[in-house]
């Protein structure tokens, strides 16, 4: 089968999955009170009744239209008609799917924890908010994936070579530890250690204005309160992704390349390096948590490959052992690594909210954490879930394609 | 994967079997598994830790609760810590002395003392069980962890058992029948597999979490959310395994001798597809208290009381309070503070030991059950 036919087929097969995911979220959405719908779909400025209800408290919610005395507020009834909450569920489902596919994901709640803390109690379209925050998460994901691969492949290979020796056993225990250790606890401990070693003890202020080593390493992109000597240009600050791509590191590099003079170029290079430096600790924590499974699979697949005939052939014709391991066996166990990456991607991405919360990284995960705080922001919660699901689905597709590219024996189809 | 009529055990390195009568193959298989498990030190360590925890869970009703007193706090029932500093303590069974006393643990009065205020006197020293006014009302970790053992183990076991049963049923049906039912079931499973587990939990709990207040309502929602998240992976595993098993000769023989579909499934296919399910189950058991901890850490009040004795809950709360209040507030105002490391160490160690134990066990099971890895 040709590659493009395979891609088209896979994309077509994705449609039922994506519609199914949206149906699940729709079932949950329709369990929400009416006022939440009005708010999330129309936005606070346009919602006549949901946001500043003139109905008596308690009547605006789910009790109002279904049973009990009808709410006599005309604006409320008009809003319900306007957003179609009085229509049959199948029609509402159709609207939901259409809106989700056209990226019309509603508005964030201006009074929710997320809005107040991230964009100054303004209500914004959810899609724009996701657009501001997604690049940060993607950069962090890329860095952690790089760390995972750089560690898992050599360690897994050598575990297989030195099977059941101390190296293998300690790698095994280490990877189990990553699996069993609570991620939030590890993140907090790493942050605590960073405070102690880099800024002189527990008593140091959480986010001081001086440029201490902790400030350099504290794994955040610039938060308003924690700018280092105010060196950050506005376009790299919080929720202001007006720069070329929106990716902080990439933007810094681009700006360094097109800088008019040497001083500005140097400052932008410094920004790019600093941005990566701030991602290192969180990326390491994420890698530690999700390396276990990949390590196991790499080791087991390497064990299987090492017993195959062509390895014996290579050895018997006098190929040096190091080359046998790295070239003959390692290359062939790579396929499994790629497959496992796809399988574990969902777990990998689900670890982000906690890490971004602890380290204060302005990514999608932090958005999710903030939007589940007591004044819950349902628009953001559901949109973030859909976005994460899309990321996972497309990552799986990419992995399948990579698998085919790495192993010529794999027949697409 | 698993051969139904196992080869002579000697040839695969198993224990010597008694001569004479031919043993029941399933018993022989079980014996072989136990033999390989016994040779695996890490798996033995895991089993030991698990048995210890189960023992603690059985013992926990006998464990002395802090003073056996009902510690109540003034405040609202939604936010019992709002009025911290104003506490009323009175024996269980007697009416509260003041109407301002609101039960924090209204369902299980003597579970743990729900008080943690680092600013009012410093952390409670290790090893102290009692929780008296002289000690300053501190959160009693030991009591909480012991009392939490049955809840943590019970919730994990219930979720995994239910998820595996659903997965077994659907996966076996899909794999055995094939055709349209396979397509329908597996596409349905794919939908659930596409959503990252933690996010599905968050979405379900955000919408339904407060639908049924009260202990059993909340625990029911919790179990529901976890089961919804857990079953798809079992369906996929079982289906893959059944696809291999149903091509075996003994299934053909059963079919030829006129066995019905139900009997073939229950007696021949399901028992021989169970082993990867066991491995996955033992892996999943360890992640459930961790996920509970993550949910609490993210700010979900999924338990009926804030200090509900569940390991994940205790860990998350301890990390939150110790680091946010302890490190950055308490220690800034009191320069001679002793950092209460045990408040993180004890619950963290409990969670870690549990996760590590089930991982060791799962790894040992995989090695013992998969003949290719045994060698």
């Amino acid at each position: 089968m040709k590659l493009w036919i395979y891609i088209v087929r896979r994309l077509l097969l994705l449609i039922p999955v994506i519609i199914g995911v949206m149906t699940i979220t729709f079932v949950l959405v329709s369990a929400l009170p009416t006022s939440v719908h009005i708010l999330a779909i129309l936005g606070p400025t346009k919602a006549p009744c949901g946001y500043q209800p003139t109905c008596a408290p308690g009547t605006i919610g789910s009790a109002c239209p279904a049973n009990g005395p009808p709410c006599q507020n005309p604006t409320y009834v008009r809003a319900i008609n306007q957003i179609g909450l009085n229509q049959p569920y199948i029609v509402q489902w159709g609207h939901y799917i259409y809106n989700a596919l056209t990226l019309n994901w509603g508005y964030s709640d201006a009074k929710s924890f997320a809005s107040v803390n991230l964009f100054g109690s303004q209500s914004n379209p959810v899609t724009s908010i996701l657009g501001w925050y997604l690049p940060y998460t993607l950069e962090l994901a890329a860095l952690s994936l790089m760390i995972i691969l750089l560690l898992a492949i050599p360690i897994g290979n050598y575990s297989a070579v030195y099977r059941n020796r101390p190296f293998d056993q300690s790698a095994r225990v280490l990877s189990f530890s990553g699996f069993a250790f609570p991620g939030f606890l590890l993140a907090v401990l790493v942050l605590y250690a960073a405070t102690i070693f880099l800024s002189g003890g527990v008593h140091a202020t959480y986010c001081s204005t001086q440029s201490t080593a902790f400030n350099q390493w504290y794994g955040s992109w610039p938060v308003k309160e924690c700018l280092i000597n105010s060196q950050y240009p506005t376009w790299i600050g919080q929720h202001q992704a007006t720069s070329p791509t929106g990716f902080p590191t990439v933007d810094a590099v681009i700006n360094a390349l097109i800088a008019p003079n040497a001083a500005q170029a140097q400052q932008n290079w410094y920004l790019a390096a600093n941005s990566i430096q701030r991602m290192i600790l969180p990326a390491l924590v994420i890698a530690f948590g999700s390396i276990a499974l990949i390590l196991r699979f790499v080791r087991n697949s390497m064990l299987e490959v090492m017993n195959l005939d062509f390895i014996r052939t290579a050895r018997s014709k006098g190929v040096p052992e190091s080359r046998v391991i790295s070239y003959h066996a390692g290359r062939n166990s790579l396929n499994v690594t790629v497959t496992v990456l796809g399988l574990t991607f969902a777990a990998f991405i689900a670890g982000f909210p906690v890490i971004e919360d602890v380290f204060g990284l302005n990514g999608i995960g932090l958005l999710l954490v903030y939007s589940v705080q007591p004044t819950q922001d349902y628009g953001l919660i559901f949109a973030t879930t859909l976005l994460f699901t899309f990321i996972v689905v497309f990552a799986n597709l990419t992995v399948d394609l990579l698998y085919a590219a790495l192993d010529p024996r794999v027949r697409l189809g | 994967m698993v051969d139904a009529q196992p080869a002579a055990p000697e040839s695969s390195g198993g224990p010597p079997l008694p001569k004479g009568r031919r043993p029941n193959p399933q018993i022989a298989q079980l014996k072989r598994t136990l033999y390989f498990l016994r040779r695996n030190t890490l798996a033995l360590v895991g089993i030991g830790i698990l048995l210890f925890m189960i023992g603690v869970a059985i013992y926990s009703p006998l464990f002395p609760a802090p003073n056996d007193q009902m510690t109540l706090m003034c405040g609202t029932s939604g936010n019992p810590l709002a009025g911290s500093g104003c506490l009323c303590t009175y024996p269980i069974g007697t009416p509260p002395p003041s109407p301002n006393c609101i039960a924090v643990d209204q369902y299980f009065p003597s579970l743990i003392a729900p008080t943690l205020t680092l600013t009012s006197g410093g952390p409670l020293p290790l090893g102290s069980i009692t929780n008296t006014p002289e000690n300053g009302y501190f959160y009693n970790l030991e009591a909480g962890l012991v009392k939490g053992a049955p809840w943590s183990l019970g919730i994990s076991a219930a979720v995994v058992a239910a998820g595996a049963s659903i997965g077994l049923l659907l996966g076996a049906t899909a794999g055995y029948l094939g055709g349209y039912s396979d397509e329908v079931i597996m596409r349905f499973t794919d939908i659930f597999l596409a959503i990252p587990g933690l996010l599905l939990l968050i979405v379900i709990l955000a919408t339904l979490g407060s639908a049924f207040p009260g202990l059993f309502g909340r625990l029911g929602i919790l179990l529901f959310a976890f089961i919804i998240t857990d079953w798809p992976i079992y369906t996929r595993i079982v289906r893959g395994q059944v696809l291999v098993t149903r091509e075996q000769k003994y299934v053909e023989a059963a079919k030829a001798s006129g066995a019905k579909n139900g009997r073939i499934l229950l007696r021949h296919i399901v028992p021989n597809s169970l082993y990867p399910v066991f491995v996955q189950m033992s892996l999943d058991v360890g992640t459930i208290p961790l996920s509970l901890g993550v949910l609490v850490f993210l700010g979900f009040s999924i338990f009926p009381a804030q200090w509900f004795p569940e390991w994940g809950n205790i860990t998350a709360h301890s990390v939150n309070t110790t680091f946010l209040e302890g490190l950055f507030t308490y220690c800034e105002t009191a320069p001679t503070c002793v950092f209460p490391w045990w408040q993180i160490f004890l619950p963290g160690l409990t969670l870690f030991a549990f996760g590590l134990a089930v991982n060791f066990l799962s790894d040992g099971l995989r090695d013992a059950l998969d003949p290719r890895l045994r060698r």
Side-chain angles (χ1 to χ4, degrees):
Chain A
M1 197 187 289
K2 289 242 171 51
L3 185 65
W4 68 269
I5 300 181
Y6 176 73
I7 294 179
V8 168
R9 223 187 95 186
R10 282 297 306 267
L11 285 175
L12 287 179
L13 277 177
L14 281 186
I15 293 174
V17 171
I18 287 179
I19 289 185
V21 168
M22 291 195 286
T23 307
I24 295 173
T25 53
F26 171 75
V27 170
L28 290 166
V29 162
S30 47
L32 291 174
T34 316
S35 53
V36 174
H37 285 280
I38 297 177
L39 186 64
I41 295 175
L42 295 181
T45 50
K46 290 187 213 153
C49 189
Y51 199 58
Q52 291 174 321
T54 44
C55 287
T59 57
I60 197 84
S62 52
C64 180
N67 40 27
C71 179
Q72 292 302 317
N73 188 333
T75 43
Y76 177 69
V77 176
R78 199 169 66 231
I80 285 187
N81 290 337
Q82 199 181 340
I83 64 175
L85 283 184
N86 54 348
Q87 287 174 353
Y89 275 118
I90 182 74
V91 178
Q92 289 188 35
W93 177 80
H95 288 160
Y96 183 85
I97 301 283
Y98 177 77
N99 283 334
L101 288 181
T102 51
L103 296 184
N104 181 7
W105 289 358
Y107 285 78
S108 74
D109 181 349
K111 274 191 183 168
S112 75
F113 190 84
S115 285
V116 171
N117 281 279
L118 293 176
F119 6 91
S121 74
Q122 285 173 346
S123 172
N124 293 295
V126 166
T127 320
S128 337
I129 297 177
L130 293 182
W132 295 332
Y133 282 74
L134 184 61
Y136 296 86
T137 302
L138 289 183
E139 278 199 353
L140 185 61
L143 190 64
S144 351
L145 268 184
M146 214 189 303
I147 292 178
I148 288 179
L149 288 183
L150 282 181
L151 289 179
I153 293 178
I155 293 181
N157 285 354
Y158 280 96
S159 293
V161 173
Y162 301 107
R163 194 157 77 93
N164 291 337
R165 305 258 193 84
F167 181 85
D168 181 27
Q169 299 287 5
S170 49
R172 178 187 291 211
V173 171
L174 197 70
S175 73
F176 285 159
S177 314
F179 205 76
F181 205 84
F184 59 91
L185 180 51
L186 181 69
V188 168
L189 286 178
V190 166
L191 198 55
Y192 178 54
T195 338
I196 290 181
F197 292 120
L198 298 176
S199 75
V202 196
H203 305 289
T205 337
Y206 191 57
C207 176
S208 73
T209 46
Q210 299 137 15
S211 173
T212 61
F214 173 71
N215 259 346
Q216 303 264 343
W217 277 90
Y218 175 61
S220 168
W221 284 285
V223 189
K224 248 179 275 171
E225 296 82 27
C226 297
L227 298 185
I228 299 175
N229 302 332
S230 306
Q231 281 170 331
Y232 283 90
T234 48
W235 50 264
I236 225 177
Q238 202 175 17
H239 65 83
Q240 290 182 349
T242 53
S243 51
T245 60
F247 290 84
T249 314
V250 178
D251 282 350
V253 170
I254 291 177
N255 274 276
L257 289 178
I258 62 170
N261 55 46
Q264 274 191 32
Q266 193 188 1
Q267 192 190 353
N268 280 310
W269 284 120
Y270 167 74
L271 281 178
N274 198 350
S275 178
I276 293 176
Q277 190 187 9
R278 281 156 187 276
M279 282 190 287
I280 285 180
L281 283 184
L284 278 176
V285 173
I286 291 173
F288 183 65
S290 36
I291 208 170
L293 214 51
I294 298 171
L295 204 55
R296 298 299 295 156
F297 274 96
V298 171
R299 172 183 179 270
N300 289 348
S301 93
M302 188 76 177
L303 275 182
E304 274 175 28
V305 171
M306 292 288 279
N307 281 329
L308 293 182
D309 286 344
F310 66 89
I311 297 291
R312 202 181 316 138
T313 312
R315 278 182 182 147
S316 61
K317 77 178 183 189
V319 178
E321 186 65 19
S322 61
R323 189 172 160 82
V324 169
I325 292 167
S326 64
Y327 185 77
H328 292 83
R331 177 66 177 72
N332 278 291
S333 72
L334 207 60
N335 305 330
V336 179
T337 316
V338 170
T339 321
V340 178
L341 266 188
L343 287 178
T344 55
F345 198 81
F348 167 73
I349 207 93
F352 275 60
V354 166
I355 307 298
E356 288 182 357
D357 181 26
V358 172
F359 286 94
L361 306 177
N362 295 317
I364 298 284
L366 186 73
L367 208 58
L368 182 71
V369 173
Y370 277 11
S371 53
V372 300
Q373 298 304 317
T375 326
Q376 292 181 341
D377 195 331
Y378 292 99
L380 280 181
I381 296 177
F382 281 102
T384 316
T385 307
L386 279 183
L387 184 67
F388 268 123
T389 308
F390 288 168
I391 293 177
V392 168
V393 165
F394 282 103
N396 280 335
L397 177 64
T398 317
V399 159
D400 282 355
L401 293 178
L402 258 184
Y403 185 53
L406 278 176
D407 191 346
R409 289 169 305 176
V410 172
R411 291 277 167 272
L412 295 172
Chain B
M1 294 286 156
V2 178
D3 30 352
Q5 281 92 26
E10 287 81 7
S11 66
S12 60
L17 287 174
K19 301 278 184 225
R21 208 166 66 81
R22 192 166 167 275
N24 180 341
Q26 283 173 347
I27 303 279
Q29 173 73 28
L30 185 67
K31 275 188 181 160
R32 214 144 30 115
T33 305
L34 287 179
Y35 173 76
F36 282 109
L37 264 188
R38 234 182 298 139
R39 279 182 30 184
N40 189 332
T41 326
L42 285 183
L44 279 188
V45 171
I47 292 176
I49 297 177
L50 276 185
L51 284 181
F52 173 72
M53 285 175 169
I54 293 173
V56 169
I58 293 171
Y59 162 73
S60 67
L62 304 175
F63 190 77
N67 257 0
D68 242 5
Q69 281 194 329
M70 188 148 183
T71 304
L72 300 180
M73 307 182 78
C74 310
T76 59
S77 57
N79 184 11
L81 290 181
S84 62
C86 110
L87 299 155
C88 357
T89 306
Y90 59 96
I92 295 168
T94 58
S98 146
N100 280 337
C101 289
I102 292 164
V104 176
D105 287 324
Q106 42 184 318
Y107 303 98
F108 295 91
S110 66
L111 285 181
I112 48 172
T115 50
L116 187 143
T117 41
L118 287 166
T119 43
S120 73
L124 191 66
L126 263 184
S128 54
I129 299 289
T130 53
N131 180 39
T132 60
E134 296 79 52
N135 270 340
Y137 291 110
F138 291 99
Y139 179 50
N140 200 321
L141 273 180
E142 294 95 283
L145 290 176
V146 171
K147 296 280 181 190
W151 289 106
S152 283
L153 298 180
I155 290 174
S156 316
V159 166
V160 166
S165 311
I166 298 174
L168 204 58
L169 193 72
L170 290 179
T173 317
Y176 185 66
L177 293 183
Y180 280 115
S181 39
D182 184 26
E183 276 297 315
V184 170
I185 292 178
M186 289 325 288
R187 291 296 82 76
F188 191 63
T189 313
D190 280 350
I191 293 169
F192 280 88
L193 274 177
I195 310 179
L198 188 71
L199 290 159
L200 189 55
L201 284 178
I202 286 178
V203 176
I204 295 177
L205 289 175
T207 43
L208 305 177
S210 51
F212 305 100
L215 175 70
F216 292 108
R218 282 185 186 246
L219 281 188
I221 289 290
L222 201 64
L223 291 181
F224 171 76
F226 269 94
I227 291 168
I228 290 285
T229 317
D230 254 16
W231 69 267
I233 187 78
Y234 292 103
T235 310
R236 180 175 272 189
I237 290 175
V238 172
R239 181 209 175 236
Q241 195 64 26
V242 167
L243 281 185
V244 176
T245 315
R246 73 166 185 190
E247 303 299 330
Q248 303 284 341
K249 289 275 184 282
Y250 55 87
V251 175
E252 219 170 285
K255 231 181 253 177
S257 60
K260 297 268 189 313
N261 270 352
R263 184 183 163 84
I264 295 178
L265 257 183
L266 285 184
R267 294 299 303 272
H268 299 284
I269 291 188
V270 167
N272 286 298
S273 318
L274 271 182
Y275 300 112
V277 177
F278 285 144
V279 174
Q280 181 68 28
M281 276 172 87
S282 58
L283 264 182
D284 272 359
V285 160
T287 62
I288 286 166
L290 284 182
S291 306
L292 281 171
V294 168
L295 287 172
V296 172
F297 188 78
L298 293 187
F300 275 104
S301 50
I302 45 181
F303 289 106
Q306 192 187 7
W307 290 102
F308 188 82
E310 198 282 331
W311 290 341
N313 189 33
I314 293 175
T315 313
H317 269 313
S318 299
V319 169
N320 260 337
T321 42
T322 308
F323 273 103
L324 298 183
E325 294 174 19
L327 181 60
F328 295 124
T329 315
Y330 172 64
C331 277
E332 272 177 23
T333 53
T336 55
C337 78
V338 180
F339 183 70
W341 52 270
W342 56 88
Q343 294 210 359
I344 301 162
F345 180 74
L346 282 186
L349 183 72
T350 313
L351 267 193
F352 183 52
F354 182 57
L356 214 53
V358 291
N359 269 292
F360 286 159
L361 176 61
S362 141
D363 197 52
L365 271 182
R366 196 194 332 248
D367 282 359
L369 293 173
D370 191 342
R372 286 174 308 163
L373 295 177
R374 214 177 264 157
R375 288 186 288 260

